[in-house]
Amino acid sequence: MKVLGISAYYHDSAAALTVDGQIVAAVQEERFTRIKHNDSFPVNAVRYCLEYAGLTIDQLDAVVFYDKPFIKFERLIETYYSYAPRGIVSFLKAMPVWMREKLFLRNIIKDELEDVMEYDRKKLKVLFPEHHLSHAASAFYPSPYHEAAILTVDGVGEWATASISHGRGGEITVLKELHFPDSVGLLYSAFTYYLGFKVNSGEYKLMGLAPYGITGSERVERFKNIIKEKLVTIADDGSIRLDQQYFGYAVGLRMARDASWAELFGFKRRKKEDEPLEQYHCDLALAIQQVTEEIVLKMATEARRLTGSANLCLAGGVALNCVANGRLLRAGIFENIWIQPAAGDAGGALGAALAAEYIYGGTSRISDEWPDGMQGAYLGPAYTDDEIKETINRYKAASVQYLSDTSLCEAVAELIEMGMVVGWYQGRAEFGPRALGHRTILADPRNKDMQQRLNLKIKYREGFRPFAPSVLLEDMGQYFDLDRESPYMLLVADVAPAIRKSVPIDYATKPMMERLYTERSTLQSITHVDFSARVQTVSRDTNPLYHQLLSAFKAKTGCGVLVNTSFNVRGEPPVLTPEDALICFMNTEMDVLVMGRYVLLKQEQPDMSHLLPKKQFKLD
């Protein structure tokens, strides 16, 4: 089968194409439009997927949307009815959109596809799997397991907010669901909102803030007790019940009831991201993070009980909580865990296509065990050397072209060792929210000032935000307490004792910024304040050029780790085209831009011609 999957109209619109069960292409619409978390129909993403595969719409067996709009509409109507007359303002805003657009989604999809190319509308088959089935399919079918428990956790789909399923071969059987308005994802998002971050995009900031909380402190324990006594009741199987008198998302325009929460926690909502962060903000972030981890572990334990499987696949927005994932791994509930790298709504497009292939179309899985079907998540557009060169010429930028990967990697490794920040732009763009070595900003993790510099002068974001390491797979155990691959930067692990530094006795209770700037590791820039790191392991098989660069850096420094952060600035999606990369480079204090084998330096940087014999590169 040839199937196009689509997610759209909520957030993180995307398109994905599968052919006979193999993932051919996948990309988010935001990368083309430059609108972060774009929710519009993914015209550009669809066009890319089809062009990459050399297909027309008429050659597709189906176009698949990632949820069922009629069931979602049923949930909205029943919810408004249950809470009436509360929510009348939200109801009046939502209903015209549904009556005008979303109830006629089949025709709207067909209309939107006409902007991509002409096709025969009558022959096009449009399918609508349920939202959590799309998530489950996105996790199970690309995984290396023929049989696995599948846990999906997010805000809400149609009715389901979490599900436990069992995957066997080409089949997925849903065993248990948690239904709206009870939702782990919406609970976490309510705290995202209350602590001043943007819902549906700021949850990772909340996760990054949590380690600044004081573990075991009276206030953190008090906050956890308040959460579990007033806001959420947690059952042994991980199902939850939220007390809706404290929340506003069911029929309102706000996630939480500000006055009630202020009375519970003793401080008012932080209304803007630029408002100062106090220790009580950090402590509340830690409290909800630990409560979320408790719920996820209980859900995973129930998934093991129901399926008896030693393998677990994870998807849904909560699966992007890599701290919870790391704790789940250490708990040993499952022998093997695989997490969909595009676990949120964007990945729903991929899961919708795969569900149609295997469940609707009966496609057979290739074998009992096979490598990662996500192919490193390198599924987006790539640009040729000629296209890169054309961009460089158009902007009249000076560049150095290296004639081999070896000479390129050796030169870039030396520039990083010199303290330079490098934009690294190679191959096909990553699918999902993480930078995985193709659209990436790199730096030396040994530099104790690099974390601050990257946040304030390159990324233009909050100074408390941590940075992740990329590490050679074969060197993983030297630096991190991790015993398996983490190719998608979805597991948090402690840094190894060998690279830790002694900290003052009162370190854990110091103000957050003092803790941040206390030296605690020989790889200071990737070690979070709680001695953890969000690890990406780099394999020679999956990303040979990035592995070669890390190896070159190790040869020069003895260190097989680099700081790795997404190639973008605050408020923008990661770069896609060579032009995006060049503009980002010129508008930040980044020192070096590497696109393919072309290297560009800012004018104030030193000449790099001494790095290699002249015959190995040429100046333009």
Side-chain angles (χ1 to χ4, degrees):
M1 291 184 71
K2 303 177 183 66
V3 180
L4 178 70
I6 293 171
S7 64
Y9 304 127
Y10 300 101
H11 56 88
D12 295 307
S13 295
L17 181 71
T18 63
V19 176
D20 297 331
Q22 301 299 300
I23 303 168
V24 174
V27 65
Q28 294 105 301
E29 184 69 5
E30 67 170 13
R31 306 298 166 89
F32 299 94
T33 63
R34 313 307 304 152
I35 301 171
K36 195 168 186 178
H37 303 298
N38 192 347
D39 63 356
S40 64
F41 187 86
V43 171
N44 297 288
V46 168
R47 184 177 293 115
Y48 156 71
C49 289
L50 294 173
E51 289 179 352
Y52 182 83
L55 295 174
T56 66
I57 294 174
D58 286 326
Q59 291 175 295
L60 298 173
D61 293 289
V63 171
V64 193
F65 191 74
Y66 77 133
D67 65 11
K68 289 183 176 292
F70 281 103
I71 299 179
K72 183 167 286 189
F73 183 68
E74 173 191 80
R75 187 251 298 171
L76 290 173
I77 292 296
E78 287 194 25
T79 301
Y80 283 125
Y81 178 78
S82 299
Y83 287 90
R86 281 173 52 195
I88 186 63
V89 174
S90 175
F91 177 83
L92 292 174
K93 286 187 175 183
M95 285 306 104
V97 176
W98 275 92
M99 299 305 293
R100 184 176 65 250
E101 298 175 3
K102 294 181 181 180
L103 286 181
F104 304 97
L105 200 54
R106 188 184 305 273
N107 284 333
I108 290 172
I109 289 170
K110 290 185 175 184
D111 290 343
E112 299 275 18
L113 288 172
E114 289 181 339
D115 289 337
V116 178
M117 63 180 65
E118 292 184 2
Y119 70 97
D120 188 341
R121 289 176 65 108
K122 293 181 180 179
K123 292 183 178 179
L124 181 65
K125 188 182 296 294
V126 182
L127 304 175
F128 298 88
E130 289 192 12
H131 185 95
H132 274 260
L133 178 60
S134 294
H135 277 319
S138 78
F140 177 58
Y141 294 123
S143 79
Y145 315 133
H146 182 70
E147 176 274 333
I150 311 166
L151 177 60
T152 69
V153 191
D154 67 1
V156 61
E158 296 86 5
W159 279 105
T161 62
S163 72
I164 296 172
S165 304
H166 196 186
R168 295 187 190 89
E171 297 181 356
I172 292 176
T173 303
V174 179
L175 303 176
K176 204 168 192 176
E177 289 184 339
L178 179 68
H179 284 177
F180 184 87
D182 302 312
S183 166
V184 182
L186 293 175
L187 172 66
Y188 201 83
S189 291
F191 282 85
T192 301
Y193 159 84
Y194 198 74
L195 289 170
F197 304 117
K198 188 175 180 180
V199 173
N200 290 331
S201 64
E203 284 76 8
Y204 60 96
K205 298 180 183 181
L206 176 60
M207 184 180 65
L209 182 65
Y212 292 95
I214 301 174
T215 301
S217 67
E218 183 278 332
R219 183 159 52 200
V220 169
E221 294 306 309
R222 177 164 53 85
F223 283 166
K224 286 168 61 177
N225 289 334
I226 291 170
I227 293 169
K228 292 197 284 186
E229 291 174 4
K230 298 293 187 180
L231 300 184
V232 56
T233 302
I234 306 170
D236 289 341
D237 64 356
S239 61
I240 63 171
R241 182 70 180 267
L242 299 184
D243 188 338
Q244 290 300 312
Q245 69 174 309
Y246 293 102
F247 298 91
Y249 60 78
V251 290
L253 300 175
R254 291 187 175 184
M255 292 300 300
R257 300 189 181 282
D258 293 4
S260 299
W261 281 47
E263 185 176 344
L264 284 178
F265 297 112
F267 63 90
K268 293 182 179 180
R269 178 170 70 92
R270 181 172 172 260
K271 295 183 178 180
K272 297 180 180 179
E273 292 195 6
D274 58 359
E275 287 185 15
L277 283 164
E278 306 294 345
Q279 187 59 50
Y280 52 78
H281 294 125
C282 305
D283 290 342
L284 185 59
L286 178 59
I288 187 56
Q289 176 63 36
Q290 291 182 348
V291 170
T292 300
E293 292 168 15
E294 178 183 341
I295 296 168
V296 170
L297 261 63
K298 286 179 180 291
M299 285 184 170
T301 300
E302 179 70 357
R304 179 70 191 251
R305 186 189 72 80
L306 289 174
T307 65
S309 179
N311 307 314
L312 176 67
C313 298
L314 286 172
V318 176
L320 293 172
N321 191 311
C322 49
V323 179
N325 296 341
R327 185 173 172 191
L328 177 58
L329 177 66
R330 292 189 297 275
I333 300 167
F334 290 89
E335 295 175 19
N336 305 298
I337 297 176
W338 193 90
I339 308 162
Q340 166 55 242
D345 272 13
L350 174 60
L354 291 169
E357 282 234 32
Y358 286 104
I359 299 172
Y360 176 81
T363 298
S364 298
R365 296 188 78 179
I366 298 169
S367 64
D368 286 350
E369 301 290 337
W370 54 84
D372 175 13
M374 285 297 292
Q375 306 160 48
Y378 307 121
L379 298 168
Y383 295 85
T384 65
D385 284 344
D386 287 344
E387 289 172 309
I388 291 171
K389 184 57 181 171
E390 189 277 329
T391 300
I392 292 171
N393 290 341
R394 180 153 37 90
Y395 282 85
K396 297 181 172 60
S399 65
V400 178
Q401 182 186 9
Y402 285 80
L403 302 182
S404 72
D405 290 341
T406 299
S407 60
L408 173 72
C409 290
E410 288 179 354
V412 175
E414 183 164 337
L415 289 167
I416 295 173
E417 184 188 21
M418 293 165 59
M420 296 189 187
V421 177
V422 174
W424 181 254
Y425 178 97
Q426 304 290 340
R428 297 182 72 180
E430 298 95 336
F431 181 53
R434 306 290 187 229
L436 301 171
H438 279 194
R439 304 290 188 273
T440 288
I441 296 174
L442 303 174
D444 187 343
R446 303 169 304 161
N447 186 325
K448 62 183 179 63
D449 299 320
M450 190 56 72
Q451 189 263 359
Q452 183 180 18
R453 182 185 171 203
L454 286 171
N455 269 332
L456 300 182
K457 296 192 175 184
I458 309 296
K459 302 284 283 188
Y460 303 127
R461 68 185 197 182
E462 303 91 342
F464 74 86
R465 302 270 296 280
F467 288 96
S470 291
V471 60
L472 291 167
L473 175 61
E474 56 269 29
D475 290 354
M476 171 183 62
Q478 290 180 231
Y479 302 101
F480 307 104
D481 182 16
L482 193 63
D483 64 356
R484 64 197 66 202
E485 293 186 62
S486 177
Y488 296 119
M489 206 183 285
L490 286 169
L491 294 172
V492 163
D494 289 339
V495 299
I499 67 170
R500 294 191 185 191
K501 290 188 175 183
S502 297
V503 295
I505 295 175
D506 62 346
Y507 170 76
T509 57
K510 284 180 176 289
M512 63 179 295
M513 300 313 287
E514 286 190 35
R515 291 176 67 190
L516 177 62
Y517 297 129
T518 298
E519 286 196 53
R520 56 192 171 274
S521 165
T522 58
L523 302 183
Q524 176 78 1
S525 294
I526 56 85
T527 302
H528 207 3
V529 292
D530 61 350
F531 296 95
S532 70
R534 189 181 69 197
V535 182
Q536 181 203 7
T537 56
V538 179
S539 162
R540 181 182 287 106
D541 295 333
T542 305
N543 193 336
L545 184 62
Y546 194 31
H547 187 278
Q548 188 172 354
L549 175 61
L550 278 159
S551 299
F553 186 72
K554 179 183 176 182
K556 290 182 181 297
T557 66
C559 176
V561 182
L562 289 171
V563 176
N564 170 13
T565 187
S566 57
F567 199 150
N568 66 321
V569 296
R570 182 180 182 183
E572 293 185 0
V575 300
L576 180 66
T577 67
E579 183 174 32
D580 297 336
L582 186 55
I583 291 172
C584 184
F585 170 63
M586 295 306 298
N587 287 335
T588 67
E589 296 185 37
M590 213 180 307
D591 303 300
V592 182
L593 173 60
V594 182
M595 295 194 291
R597 290 183 183 166
Y598 289 96
V599 179
L600 293 77
L601 286 86
K602 297 282 176 66
Q603 290 182 352
E604 62 270 21
Q605 298 299 337
D607 180 17
M608 62 189 295
S609 60
H610 70 286
L611 295 180
L612 290 166
K614 291 184 181 296
K615 65 181 180 180
Q616 295 194 41
F617 67 86
K618 60 184 180 181
L619 294 169
D620 292 315

